[in-house]
Amino acid sequence: MSCASIPAISASPSKSLVSVTSHSTSKSRFARCAIGGTVADSKAVSVAEPLLLKAVRGDDVDRPPVWLMRQAGRYMKAGPEEFVSLPLNEARVVVWKWKLLFRKADGTYCDILSYQMICEKHPSFRERSENVDLVVEISLQPWKVFKPDGVILFSDILTPLSGMNIPFDIVKGKGPVIFDPLRTDADVDKVREFDPKESVPYVGEALTILRKEVNNEAAVLGFVGAPFTLASYVVEGGSSKHFSKIKRLAFSQPKVLHALLQKFTTSMAKYIQYQADNGAQAVQIFDSWATELSPVDFEEFSLPYLKQIVDTVKQTHPDLPLILYASGSGGLLERLTLTGVDVVSLDWTVDMAEGRRRLGSNVAVQGNIDPGVLFGSKEFITSRINDTVRKAGRGKHILNLGHGIVVGTPEENVAHFFEVAKGIRY
């Protein structure tokens, strides 16, 4: 979104330069400029297929596509009275008077509300992730600034729970809270099968808008939680260190856990299909806690359900790339490929070259730079990017971190990461 050309920003202008109207409409969006008039958003004709999709498929590409897990969110810290410039090729970001402004090469500006500003006005995470306007705005923040090759929906893996009759909240400083943890057969019987169109229509609407906004210049990514990870949250009552409750259920009442896992499996397959039908061009499955299982238990309580999801989705959406991420999965890599996913996302505890060898040539790989690298010098960041790309080899590689961006990561280092990554050529 842009206003008319503004030649310079004075030290203390009397008016905000840009204000943004609602995203939640299929009609044309407009920007209102302080200098007068209303300028309709003009959209270029959709470009060719996104680089990320080509790379996953194994097409010849000149560089690896790049995006970052948690690229939208808490590390983006624009504050009052700050004035910051982040050089990014021919464009830059300036923060001024509570406004995050993105100046493009043609001199036009677009308004970007910082994530911190949105949090102050909307302190509830669920409100931010269940409101179409906020979801779109937050999802597009890194796109407007860094132009990643993947734009992921701002949401949470627990979003479907309310629609499955599992009340929950995400509390600041504490994380997910399940109000009535599931521990018995009777508890599982109360869980409803998820109907995304009925329960989370804002997800579909947001994905549709994102697809139009990004305009095929990047791939729009959806995501879901894997059955075992979702079950871990609802049985433990939230996050856990030892996973004693889910393991007690698994090893003492496996039929109860399998019944719960099957409900999540059926529901998440539907959720992926729903996201794809509404604009997602690839979907990442997060099985964050599956690596708490031994290999033999992974084969019983996670692998068959992941495979069932993949098989179900591929029946209706055979060309939809599915990405599987499980942190700390070094001991399970060969088993992850048995799920049938198109991409396995590695964390940084696995050497990229070794991961490539163990996964084989039929699956693409994503990752896997340590998020802590972004606290290093720009020279160090550059070195690690080049090392990872070299070890991954040409093609079938999505450059990413091995986990999400850490809170407190310097924004200028994120800018440098993208600038270097997008400048790579095989």
Side-chain angles (χ1 to χ4, degrees):
M1 177 182 306
S2 62
C3 291
S5 179
I6 302 171
I9 300 176
S10 66
S12 56
S14 59
K15 296 182 180 180
S16 297
L17 295 177
V18 187
S19 62
V20 181
T21 59
S22 173
H23 293 279
S24 55
T25 174
S26 59
K27 298 178 181 179
S28 298
R29 295 172 54 226
F30 297 88
R32 293 194 177 276
C33 303
I35 58 175
T38 302
V39 183
D41 237 357
S42 60
K43 293 293 177 187
V45 176
S46 180
V47 298
E49 188 178 35
L51 177 66
L52 187 146
L53 302 185
K54 294 179 180 179
V56 170
R57 194 167 53 233
D59 292 356
D60 187 36
V61 294
D62 61 0
R63 68 170 175 87
V66 57
W67 70 280
L68 301 181
M69 286 184 273
R70 293 182 183 166
Q71 65 189 15
R74 295 170 292 175
Y75 76 97
M76 300 185 83
K77 285 185 179 177
E81 305 300 327
E82 290 181 280
F83 189 94
V84 183
S85 289
L86 304 179
L88 261 178
N89 296 324
E90 292 184 289
R92 71 175 182 172
V93 177
V94 294
V95 183
W96 168 82
K97 292 287 185 183
W98 290 99
K99 287 283 185 184
L100 189 59
L101 302 176
F102 177 65
R103 187 180 63 152
K104 297 185 288 187
D106 62 2
T108 61
Y109 287 81
C110 59
D111 182 30
I112 312 170
L113 296 174
S114 84
Y115 185 72
Q116 298 297 322
M117 297 173 196
I118 292 173
C119 288
E120 287 189 13
K121 188 173 182 180
H122 307 278
S124 165
F125 180 88
R126 288 197 60 185
E127 180 187 1
R128 296 193 296 275
S129 62
E130 297 177 13
N131 175 294
V132 174
D133 288 346
L134 296 178
V135 169
V136 171
E137 183 67 40
I138 295 168
S139 300
L140 287 176
Q141 284 179 346
W143 164 248
K144 293 174 179 176
V145 179
F146 306 122
K147 284 293 190 287
D149 297 301
V151 176
I152 192 164
L153 175 77
F154 180 77
S155 185
D156 193 87
I157 63 171
L158 302 185
T159 294
L161 293 187
S162 292
M164 299 183 72
N165 196 33
I166 306 174
F168 81 101
D169 201 359
I170 298 177
V171 181
K172 185 177 181 179
K174 187 174 183 179
V177 176
I178 308 300
F179 297 124
D180 299 302
L182 310 185
R183 309 277 168 76
T184 68
D185 205 6
D187 293 336
V188 175
D189 284 342
K190 295 176 184 176
V191 177
R192 294 196 302 261
E193 199 170 287
F194 184 53
D195 181 347
K197 186 175 182 180
E198 175 184 297
S199 300
V200 292
Y202 49 87
V203 168
E205 187 175 350
L207 284 168
T208 299
I209 295 169
L210 288 174
R211 185 70 180 271
K212 292 177 181 177
E213 290 288 324
V214 176
N215 199 35
N216 253 8
E217 294 178 48
V220 172
L221 309 176
F223 70 92
V224 303
F228 182 79
T229 291
L230 294 174
S232 295
Y233 278 111
V234 303
V235 171
E236 294 287 339
S239 300
S240 177
K241 288 184 178 180
H242 304 294
F243 297 88
S244 57
K245 296 180 179 65
I246 185 76
K247 290 187 177 183
R248 179 183 295 120
L249 187 63
F251 303 146
S252 66
Q253 301 181 74
K255 288 185 179 180
V256 176
L257 180 54
H258 280 301
L260 178 60
L261 291 170
Q262 186 56 58
K263 287 192 174 184
F264 279 131
T265 298
T266 303
S267 296
M268 292 308 103
K270 284 185 176 180
Y271 195 23
I272 293 174
Q273 292 166 326
Y274 174 76
Q275 291 186 29
D277 289 341
N278 284 277
Q281 294 166 287
V283 176
Q284 181 154 309
I285 304 169
F286 286 88
D287 207 352
S288 308
W289 304 130
T291 52
E292 294 294 326
L293 294 168
S294 68
V296 67
D297 294 321
F298 175 81
E299 290 177 354
E300 178 176 356
F301 297 108
S302 182
L303 177 58
Y305 298 104
L306 289 169
K307 189 175 187 309
Q308 186 179 333
I309 288 174
V310 174
D311 289 346
T312 301
V313 172
K314 290 298 184 179
Q315 288 176 11
T316 57
H317 299 76
D319 298 323
L320 178 72
L322 297 177
I323 307 167
L324 176 59
Y325 174 78
S327 57
S329 61
L332 298 171
L333 288 190
E334 291 81 2
R335 290 170 175 84
L336 296 184
T337 63
L338 299 177
T339 61
V341 294
D342 303 281
V343 186
V344 171
S345 189
L346 301 176
D347 76 356
W348 68 94
T349 63
V350 179
D351 181 79
M352 176 56 81
E354 178 187 342
R356 272 290 212 187
R357 287 194 298 271
R358 290 173 61 190
L359 290 170
S361 60
N362 291 330
V363 64
V365 66
Q366 179 173 270
N368 67 332
I369 295 172
D370 185 340
V373 166
L374 293 179
F375 288 95
S377 67
K378 290 181 172 59
E379 292 75 18
F380 182 67
I381 294 169
T382 300
S383 173
R384 284 299 178 90
I385 291 172
N386 289 329
D387 181 64
T388 300
V389 172
R390 177 180 58 82
K391 289 179 176 179
R394 181 170 186 137
K396 282 199 157 187
H397 174 221
I398 302 170
L399 184 61
N400 206 316
L401 300 178
H403 201 278
I405 296 179
V406 178
V407 177
T409 298
E411 291 165 85
E412 62 269 23
N413 286 1
V414 178
H416 179 74
F417 185 99
F418 278 109
E419 190 167 18
V420 171
K422 296 187 76 171
I424 288 174
R425 293 296 179 270
Y426 286 128

PDB file of all heavy atoms in Angstrom, residues 203-216:
ATOM      1  N   VAL A 203      -9.381 -17.726   9.605  1.00  0.00           N
ATOM      2  CA  VAL A 203      -8.164 -18.290   9.018  1.00  0.00           C
ATOM      3  C   VAL A 203      -8.286 -18.326   7.494  1.00  0.00           C
ATOM      4  O   VAL A 203      -7.388 -17.906   6.771  1.00  0.00           O
ATOM      5  CB  VAL A 203      -7.881 -19.701   9.584  1.00  0.00           C
ATOM      6  CG1 VAL A 203      -6.790 -20.403   8.765  1.00  0.00           C
ATOM      7  CG2 VAL A 203      -7.466 -19.620  11.041  1.00  0.00           C
ATOM      8  N   GLY A 204      -9.406 -18.824   7.012  1.00  0.00           N
ATOM      9  CA  GLY A 204      -9.619 -18.877   5.576  1.00  0.00           C
ATOM     10  C   GLY A 204      -9.637 -17.491   4.947  1.00  0.00           C
ATOM     11  O   GLY A 204      -9.035 -17.271   3.885  1.00  0.00           O
ATOM     12  N   GLU A 205     -10.314 -16.554   5.617  1.00  0.00           N
ATOM     13  CA  GLU A 205     -10.382 -15.192   5.074  1.00  0.00           C
ATOM     14  C   GLU A 205      -9.005 -14.546   5.052  1.00  0.00           C
ATOM     15  O   GLU A 205      -8.626 -13.887   4.075  1.00  0.00           O
ATOM     16  CB  GLU A 205     -11.350 -14.348   5.904  1.00  0.00           C
ATOM     17  CG  GLU A 205     -11.606 -12.984   5.294  1.00  0.00           C
ATOM     18  CD  GLU A 205     -12.664 -12.183   6.048  1.00  0.00           C
ATOM     19  OE1 GLU A 205     -13.346 -12.749   6.931  1.00  0.00           O
ATOM     20  OE2 GLU A 205     -12.798 -10.982   5.750  1.00  0.00           O
ATOM     21  N   ALA A 206      -8.235 -14.741   6.124  1.00  0.00           N
ATOM     22  CA  ALA A 206      -6.896 -14.146   6.186  1.00  0.00           C
ATOM     23  C   ALA A 206      -5.985 -14.724   5.107  1.00  0.00           C
ATOM     24  O   ALA A 206      -5.242 -13.985   4.450  1.00  0.00           O
ATOM     25  CB  ALA A 206      -6.286 -14.371   7.571  1.00  0.00           C
ATOM     26  N   LEU A 207      -6.038 -16.028   4.899  1.00  0.00           N
ATOM     27  CA  LEU A 207      -5.208 -16.650   3.869  1.00  0.00           C
ATOM     28  C   LEU A 207      -5.572 -16.135   2.479  1.00  0.00           C
ATOM     29  O   LEU A 207      -4.692 -15.890   1.640  1.00  0.00           O
ATOM     30  CB  LEU A 207      -5.359 -18.167   3.918  1.00  0.00           C
ATOM     31  CG  LEU A 207      -4.620 -18.881   5.049  1.00  0.00           C
ATOM     32  CD1 LEU A 207      -5.087 -20.327   5.169  1.00  0.00           C
ATOM     33  CD2 LEU A 207      -3.105 -18.822   4.834  1.00  0.00           C
ATOM     34  N   THR A 208      -6.850 -15.952   2.236  1.00  0.00           N
ATOM     35  CA  THR A 208      -7.289 -15.439   0.938  1.00  0.00           C
ATOM     36  C   THR A 208      -6.734 -14.038   0.698  1.00  0.00           C
ATOM     37  O   THR A 208      -6.262 -13.713  -0.397  1.00  0.00           O
ATOM     38  CB  THR A 208      -8.828 -15.422   0.874  1.00  0.00           C
ATOM     39  OG1 THR A 208      -9.320 -16.758   1.031  1.00  0.00           O
ATOM     40  CG2 THR A 208      -9.308 -14.864  -0.462  1.00  0.00           C
ATOM     41  N   ILE A 209      -6.784 -13.201   1.731  1.00  0.00           N
ATOM     42  CA  ILE A 209      -6.262 -11.833   1.613  1.00  0.00           C
ATOM     43  C   ILE A 209      -4.746 -11.856   1.419  1.00  0.00           C
ATOM     44  O   ILE A 209      -4.196 -11.141   0.575  1.00  0.00           O
ATOM     45  CB  ILE A 209      -6.642 -11.002   2.850  1.00  0.00           C
ATOM     46  CG1 ILE A 209      -8.160 -10.836   2.930  1.00  0.00           C
ATOM     47  CG2 ILE A 209      -5.960  -9.634   2.798  1.00  0.00           C
ATOM     48  CD1 ILE A 209      -8.650 -10.253   4.241  1.00  0.00           C
ATOM     49  N   LEU A 210      -4.059 -12.695   2.203  1.00  0.00           N
ATOM     50  CA  LEU A 210      -2.605 -12.776   2.088  1.00  0.00           C
ATOM     51  C   LEU A 210      -2.189 -13.192   0.682  1.00  0.00           C
ATOM     52  O   LEU A 210      -1.229 -12.663   0.124  1.00  0.00           O
ATOM     53  CB  LEU A 210      -2.050 -13.760   3.111  1.00  0.00           C
ATOM     54  CG  LEU A 210      -2.065 -13.305   4.574  1.00  0.00           C
ATOM     55  CD1 LEU A 210      -1.623 -14.441   5.493  1.00  0.00           C
ATOM     56  CD2 LEU A 210      -1.160 -12.088   4.773  1.00  0.00           C
ATOM     57  N   ARG A 211      -2.921 -14.132   0.132  1.00  0.00           N
ATOM     58  CA  ARG A 211      -2.587 -14.599  -1.214  1.00  0.00           C
ATOM     59  C   ARG A 211      -2.685 -13.449  -2.218  1.00  0.00           C
ATOM     60  O   ARG A 211      -1.834 -13.303  -3.107  1.00  0.00           O
ATOM     61  CB  ARG A 211      -3.540 -15.735  -1.593  1.00  0.00           C
ATOM     62  CG  ARG A 211      -3.231 -16.399  -2.906  1.00  0.00           C
ATOM     63  CD  ARG A 211      -1.951 -17.243  -2.870  1.00  0.00           C
ATOM     64  NE  ARG A 211      -1.732 -17.854  -4.169  1.00  0.00           N
ATOM     65  CZ  ARG A 211      -2.225 -19.026  -4.534  1.00  0.00           C
ATOM     66  NH1 ARG A 211      -2.959 -19.741  -3.677  1.00  0.00           N
ATOM     67  NH2 ARG A 211      -1.971 -19.505  -5.731  1.00  0.00           N
ATOM     68  N   LYS A 212      -3.707 -12.614  -2.079  1.00  0.00           N
ATOM     69  CA  LYS A 212      -3.865 -11.476  -2.985  1.00  0.00           C
ATOM     70  C   LYS A 212      -2.782 -10.429  -2.737  1.00  0.00           C
ATOM     71  O   LYS A 212      -2.240  -9.840  -3.675  1.00  0.00           O
ATOM     72  CB  LYS A 212      -5.246 -10.849  -2.798  1.00  0.00           C
ATOM     73  CG  LYS A 212      -6.393 -11.745  -3.269  1.00  0.00           C
ATOM     74  CD  LYS A 212      -7.734 -11.097  -2.996  1.00  0.00           C
ATOM     75  CE  LYS A 212      -8.888 -11.999  -3.440  1.00  0.00           C
ATOM     76  NZ  LYS A 212     -10.207 -11.403  -3.114  1.00  0.00           N
ATOM     77  N   GLU A 213      -2.472 -10.187  -1.465  1.00  0.00           N
ATOM     78  CA  GLU A 213      -1.472  -9.168  -1.125  1.00  0.00           C
ATOM     79  C   GLU A 213      -0.083  -9.554  -1.623  1.00  0.00           C
ATOM     80  O   GLU A 213       0.642  -8.739  -2.177  1.00  0.00           O
ATOM     81  CB  GLU A 213      -1.440  -8.963   0.394  1.00  0.00           C
ATOM     82  CG  GLU A 213      -2.661  -8.279   0.967  1.00  0.00           C
ATOM     83  CD  GLU A 213      -2.710  -6.815   0.602  1.00  0.00           C
ATOM     84  OE1 GLU A 213      -1.652  -6.167   0.543  1.00  0.00           O
ATOM     85  OE2 GLU A 213      -3.821  -6.310   0.354  1.00  0.00           O
ATOM     86  N   VAL A 214       0.285 -10.794  -1.389  1.00  0.00           N
ATOM     87  CA  VAL A 214       1.627 -11.249  -1.758  1.00  0.00           C
ATOM     88  C   VAL A 214       1.743 -11.455  -3.262  1.00  0.00           C
ATOM     89  O   VAL A 214       2.823 -11.315  -3.842  1.00  0.00           O
ATOM     90  CB  VAL A 214       1.967 -12.544  -0.980  1.00  0.00           C
ATOM     91  CG1 VAL A 214       3.307 -13.107  -1.416  1.00  0.00           C
ATOM     92  CG2 VAL A 214       1.980 -12.268   0.527  1.00  0.00           C
ATOM     93  N   ASN A 215       0.625 -11.798  -3.880  1.00  0.00           N
ATOM     94  CA  ASN A 215       0.542 -11.783  -5.341  1.00  0.00           C
ATOM     95  C   ASN A 215       1.558 -12.708  -6.027  1.00  0.00           C
ATOM     96  O   ASN A 215       2.156 -12.363  -7.038  1.00  0.00           O
ATOM     97  CB  ASN A 215       0.722 -10.347  -5.853  1.00  0.00           C
ATOM     98  CG  ASN A 215       0.214 -10.168  -7.269  1.00  0.00           C
ATOM     99  OD1 ASN A 215      -0.779 -10.781  -7.649  1.00  0.00           O
ATOM    100  ND2 ASN A 215       0.892  -9.330  -8.045  1.00  0.00           N
ATOM    101  N   ASN A 216       1.782 -13.867  -5.406  1.00  0.00           N
ATOM    102  CA  ASN A 216       2.697 -14.875  -5.964  1.00  0.00           C
ATOM    103  C   ASN A 216       4.158 -14.463  -5.989  1.00  0.00           C
ATOM    104  O   ASN A 216       4.995 -15.157  -6.566  1.00  0.00           O
ATOM    105  CB  ASN A 216       2.281 -15.303  -7.379  1.00  0.00           C
ATOM    106  CG  ASN A 216       1.685 -16.691  -7.404  1.00  0.00           C
ATOM    107  OD1 ASN A 216       1.437 -17.289  -6.355  1.00  0.00           O
ATOM    108  ND2 ASN A 216       1.449 -17.223  -8.582  1.00  0.00           N
TER     109      ASN A 216
END
